[in-house]
Amino acid sequence: MSVWHRLTWAAHRTQPMAESLLQIKELRAWYGPSQALHGIELDVPRGEIVTLLGRNGAGKSTLLKSVMGIVPRRSGSIRLDGRELIDLPPHRIGHAGVAYCPDDRGIYATLTVRENLLLPPVVAPGGMSEAELMGLFPNLEARKRSAGTQLSGGEQQMLAIARILRTGARVLLLDEPTEGLAPVIVERIGDLLQQLKQRGYTILLVEQNLQFAAELADRHYLVETGRVVDHYDRAALVSNLQQLASRLGV
Amino acid sequence: MSEIFGMPLSVIAGQTMLGLVNGCFYAVLSLGLALIFGLLRIVNFAHGAFFMAGAFVAWMLFHFFGVNYWWSMLLVPLMVGLVGALFERTMLSRLRRLDPIYGLLLTFGLVLVLEGGFRLLFGSSGKPYPVPDLLKGTVQLGFMVLPIYRGWVIVAALIACALSWWVIERTPLGAQLRAATEKDALTQSFGINVPRLLTLTYGAGIGLAAFAGVLAAPILHVNPSMGSDLVIVVFAIVVIGGMGSIFGSIVTALGIGIIEGWTKVFYSEASSTIIFVLMAMVLLLRPRGLFGREGSS
């Protein structure tokens, strides 16, 4: 490897980051006897969108769940703005200002749309008001008395994102928000995430849709068998898209 | 036209009313049981024992401290509910991640302790509890004579059920409860203190059982086994109505009470088995219960 190569190679790996808001070190997680995460290391800089790429079963969803404290057992260090979260019970992690949107969207069948929206408690000032959210998602306003699961898949996804925007949490963990949705809805979600970024939210996103991730995110981590094996900034991802696609099997 | 199938109308009306009174006790008990099962996934065997404890605490308050019926109605559910919450917090919560059978065993053990304790203190023959003055006597309804106290039991139980239903279905606290019942981990990740919700729910369910105990004290003899007699039927009702369905439990309980009453009129030999025959039929034809939701087994 020539010096020049070495320099450019190093450049996309060690590009100076903005201050890291969410910092994960040595994160391990287990489901019973089987270990799902083997020492994850990653940083999510303040105000950026960061994606987790990887095949099914690589541990991306487990990583988000581990941050929220809803896996059976985990160890390591998860710092939010310098504050250690690993020893907190799950409901205290929510109050620390991280909000989570699961891959099944987590809409409650026994709650109405409005109850779903108002369920997560406000944990910090600066969240959006109910009126503001209903304005942003007019479909929800029209169907606020229906049971949550009577909404279409796209509407459920909007609801799942809308309800965590009310809480004032500034770090959002989104697990495959575009999965199984029509292209036009995927586009709307992309626009929404851009808007959220402009408003200063920090987003950690699990995404299978490489194109979607490439257009949106500032930084990407590649997860394989419970480890972060590579990371790319925006430019590096674009130039490695082909190679990465084959690596992800997409 | 004062007979149906050869039975005088007044007899049928009387048994319907008695059935409804029993149904009301079933309703308040099965409501709490369904609430606890739905959220904590625990088959609370101790429910009948707390019902009995409610009746005994009311008797003790009256006998030793002169606390009247109306104050007992308020104080006893709070006191016994607090004991229930304490029991959940200190013992039951430790079994949360284990097989549900452990919860059943622990609560069954508690039944033995409570029943044994009250039997040791007060004997097994039972204690009388007077009907409060305001509710003594009867009213003539034309087709039947209604003892006022029994009418009051129906009214009070229905108010308790309606109030519980309202809290669960129409308030933010109820929404949290339903959410935690449906997806506990996710609910907790939003920053909702689910363990505290479990304690609260258990305490409230026990409070309801104790409330039923106070209501029952002037009708049933206050004795250590009064809960066990009732709770088996209540379990059958929860199975028939659908585990974890609040509304289903209430409706089923009232219906079963009335069916039981009618069976007494027409074929009294079957009156104590009819419920279990119904339960077997429901389990065969609709295993999730009449009002049970798909997947909530």
Side-chain angles (χ1 to χ4, degrees):
Chain A
M1 207 183 274
S2 74
V3 172
W4 190 83
H5 263 106
R6 229 177 253 251
L7 279 175
T8 49
W9 182 84
H12 85 249
R13 270 148 220 272
T14 54
Q15 185 192 45
M17 285 187 190
E19 176 209 354
S20 168
L21 185 53
L22 182 67
Q23 194 171 43
I24 298 172
K25 283 194 192 317
E26 288 287 302
L27 181 63
R28 289 162 219 281
W30 292 263
Y31 290 107
S34 72
Q35 189 169 357
L37 300 182
H38 299 265
I40 294 277
E41 306 265 338
L42 74 87
D43 285 292
V44 182
R46 189 185 300 273
E48 287 197 359
I49 298 180
V50 173
T51 58
L52 298 172
L53 304 171
R55 288 171 182 259
N56 282 334
K60 309 181 299 292
S61 295
T62 303
L63 175 49
L64 297 195
K65 285 183 187 159
S66 300
V67 174
M68 298 315 295
I70 52 178
V71 290
R73 189 157 75 90
R74 73 213 208 291
S75 73
S77 163
I78 301 162
R79 282 177 182 277
L80 179 70
D81 219 357
R83 181 182 173 199
E84 182 58 68
L85 302 182
I86 196 94
D87 295 322
L88 297 181
H91 63 269
R92 298 279 301 280
I93 295 175
H95 274 283
V98 199
Y100 167 61
C101 175
D103 58 348
D104 64 359
R105 294 163 196 145
I107 300 302
Y108 298 92
T110 51
L111 272 63
T112 64
V113 169
R114 184 160 184 265
E115 283 174 329
N116 265 284
L117 185 67
L118 299 183
L119 178 73
V122 171
V123 298
M128 295 187 199
S129 69
E130 187 187 348
E132 213 175 334
L133 287 167
M134 290 296 194
L136 201 55
F137 305 102
N139 294 21
L140 301 185
E141 169 76 52
R143 307 202 51 190
K144 63 182 178 185
R145 286 176 198 284
S146 315
T149 44
Q150 278 171 7
L151 297 179
S152 71
E155 288 169 331
Q156 288 192 29
Q157 188 61 59
M158 299 295 176
L159 176 55
I161 297 176
R163 72 177 167 195
I164 57 177
L165 299 179
R166 231 190 92 253
T167 65
R170 303 300 289 169
V171 177
L172 310 180
L173 311 185
L174 310 180
D175 199 343
E176 295 208 47
T178 63
E179 191 189 15
L181 298 180
V184 55
I185 313 264
V186 172
E187 207 168 302
R188 270 200 67 193
I189 290 176
D191 291 345
L192 174 65
L193 297 188
Q194 287 288 7
Q195 275 184 46
L196 293 178
K197 187 187 164 180
Q198 274 154 25
R199 285 173 180 245
Y201 283 91
T202 303
I203 300 172
L204 180 58
L205 181 72
V206 168
E207 190 50 69
Q208 296 273 26
N209 184 337
L210 206 50
Q211 200 61 45
F212 182 83
E215 284 169 22
L216 204 61
D218 303 286
R219 199 173 303 276
H220 311 268
Y221 287 91
L222 180 61
V223 182
E224 271 174 18
T225 58
R227 292 178 183 84
V228 170
V229 292
D230 218 338
H231 65 270
Y232 309 86
D233 63 17
R234 185 191 285 265
L237 185 83
V238 172
S239 56
N240 286 297
L241 213 53
Q242 219 90 75
Q243 174 219 339
L244 202 62
S246 70
R247 214 163 157 186
L248 293 172
V250 290
Chain B
M1 279 306 288
S2 59
E3 289 190 354
I4 295 176
F5 297 123
M7 288 291 168
L9 194 60
S10 60
V11 171
I12 295 177
Q15 282 300 335
T16 306
M17 191 273 301
L18 282 181
L20 201 58
V21 169
N22 278 335
C24 283
F25 289 125
Y26 298 158
V28 177
L29 287 173
S30 63
L31 170 68
L33 209 56
L35 198 62
I36 290 170
F37 179 80
L39 190 56
L40 285 82
R41 298 278 136 187
I42 278 171
V43 178
N44 185 36
F45 233 87
H47 217 68
F50 280 115
F51 164 81
M52 175 271 293
F56 258 110
V57 172
W59 179 84
M60 288 192 293
L61 285 177
F62 178 76
H63 192 78
F64 297 124
F65 304 102
V67 177
N68 71 22
Y69 176 82
W70 303 103
W71 276 108
S72 277
M73 203 142 229
L74 185 73
L75 290 176
V76 171
L78 287 176
M79 291 162 68
V80 179
L82 198 69
V83 173
L86 213 64
F87 169 68
E88 196 281 337
R89 175 88 305 180
T90 55
M91 288 181 238
L92 214 44
S93 62
R94 295 171 193 274
L95 306 178
R96 178 122 171 89
R97 287 177 200 289
L98 301 177
D99 191 305
I101 195 78
Y102 288 94
L104 199 145
L105 283 173
L106 178 65
T107 54
F108 184 68
L110 185 67
V111 173
L112 299 180
V113 171
L114 282 176
E115 287 191 358
F118 280 109
R119 192 165 289 129
L120 194 69
L121 289 171
F122 303 109
S124 44
S125 60
K127 304 282 179 191
Y129 190 95
V131 173
D133 289 337
L134 197 64
L135 301 173
K136 277 183 177 150
T138 57
V139 277
Q140 179 57 250
L141 295 179
F143 60 95
M144 65 174 286
V145 175
L146 176 71
I148 292 175
Y149 189 80
R150 303 209 177 227
W152 159 249
V153 167
I154 296 173
V155 171
L158 290 182
I159 290 174
C161 288
L163 209 65
S164 308
W165 180 87
W166 181 79
V167 169
I168 295 161
E169 296 294 334
R170 291 285 179 269
T171 65
L173 178 67
Q176 290 195 359
L177 222 132
R178 277 174 284 140
T181 302
E182 204 180 322
K183 306 176 197 296
D184 61 341
L186 179 68
T187 306
Q188 197 157 2
S189 83
F190 288 138
I192 292 169
N193 191 341
V194 173
R196 194 173 64 195
L197 218 52
L198 298 183
T199 306
L200 192 74
T201 301
Y202 194 82
I206 296 307
L208 275 170
F211 176 79
V214 181
L215 273 182
I219 299 185
L220 306 173
H221 223 49
V222 179
N223 71 85
S225 60
M226 64 192 279
S228 310
D229 299 345
L230 213 57
V231 82
I232 301 297
V233 174
V234 173
F235 271 113
I237 285 166
V238 173
V239 172
I240 294 172
M243 289 274 198
S245 163
I246 307 297
F247 181 75
S249 304
I250 297 173
V251 173
T252 310
L254 296 174
I256 291 286
I258 292 172
I259 290 174
E260 202 183 22
W262 287 345
T263 314
K264 275 185 191 137
V265 181
F266 292 108
Y267 190 66
S268 61
E269 292 87 339
S271 63
S272 56
T273 46
I274 180 79
I275 294 164
F276 302 100
V277 174
L278 283 174
M279 181 179 85
M281 273 160 57
V282 167
L283 282 177
L284 278 174
L285 299 173
R286 202 179 151 85
R288 67 193 137 106
L290 295 180
F291 299 87
R293 258 184 284 267
E294 207 77 56
S296 64
S297 54

